[in-house]
């Protein structure tokens, strides 16, 4: 990616891509199987249900203490500059 994106962004001619394509490493969408025409409303309903499931299950990892302290310092400085105290 670091080599291709700055150049032209085309991965199809890269040996890494060719190798993985030959091995059958194709992405298959989970909501709408390729090659099947589906009703738009059904797809929207499944997308919404999937989004709700992701939001329900997602667990945010707490920030490391040093990062949290640094963010607190940035916020305190911003308040001082904006409020003037």
């Amino acid at each position: 990616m670091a080599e291709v994106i700055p150049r032209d962004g085309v991965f199809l001619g890269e040996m890494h891509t060719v190798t993985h394509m030959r091995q059958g490493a194709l992405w298959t969408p989970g909501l709408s199987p390729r090659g099947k025409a589906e009703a738009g409303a059904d797809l929207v309903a499944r997308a919404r249900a999937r989004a709700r499931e992701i939001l329900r299950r997602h667990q945010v990892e707490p920030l490391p203490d040093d990062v949290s302290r640094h963010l607190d310092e940035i916020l305190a400085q911003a308040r001082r500059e904006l409020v003037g105290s």
Side-chain angles (χ1 to χ4, degrees), residues 48-64:
R48 286 186 177 141
R50 178 69 178 125
R52 282 198 269 313
E53 178 68 15
I54 290 169
L55 291 171
R56 186 179 67 79
R57 288 181 173 225
H58 181 68
Q59 296 291 321
V60 177
E61 292 185 31
L63 294 172

Side-chain angles (χ1 to χ4, degrees), residues 45-80:
R46 284 185 290 134
R48 286 186 177 141
R50 178 69 178 125
R52 282 198 269 313
E53 178 68 15
I54 290 169
L55 291 171
R56 186 179 67 79
R57 288 181 173 225
H58 181 68
Q59 296 291 321
V60 177
E61 292 185 31
L63 294 172
D65 289 340
D66 60 327
V67 173
S68 184
R69 275 192 303 277
H70 187 64
L71 287 172
D72 289 341
E73 292 168 9
I74 291 171
L75 286 171
Q77 180 180 351
R79 283 189 187 104
R80 285 191 301 271

Side-chain angles (χ1 to χ4, degrees), residues 22-50:
R22 287 182 180 157
Q23 292 174 352
L26 295 174
W27 175 76
T28 305
L31 294 174
S32 175
R34 288 185 177 163
K36 294 184 180 180
E38 299 191 21
D42 184 46
L43 178 60
V44 170
R46 284 185 290 134
R48 286 186 177 141
R50 178 69 178 125

Side-chain angles (χ1 to χ4, degrees), residues 2-48:
E3 295 172 11
V4 176
I5 291 173
R7 190 176 64 229
D8 60 7
V10 178
F11 292 89
L12 295 176
E14 299 299 311
M15 197 47 150
H16 179 271
T17 302
V18 172
T19 301
H20 285 83
M21 293 290 284
R22 287 182 180 157
Q23 292 174 352
L26 295 174
W27 175 76
T28 305
L31 294 174
S32 175
R34 288 185 177 163
K36 294 184 180 180
E38 299 191 21
D42 184 46
L43 178 60
V44 170
R46 284 185 290 134
R48 286 186 177 141

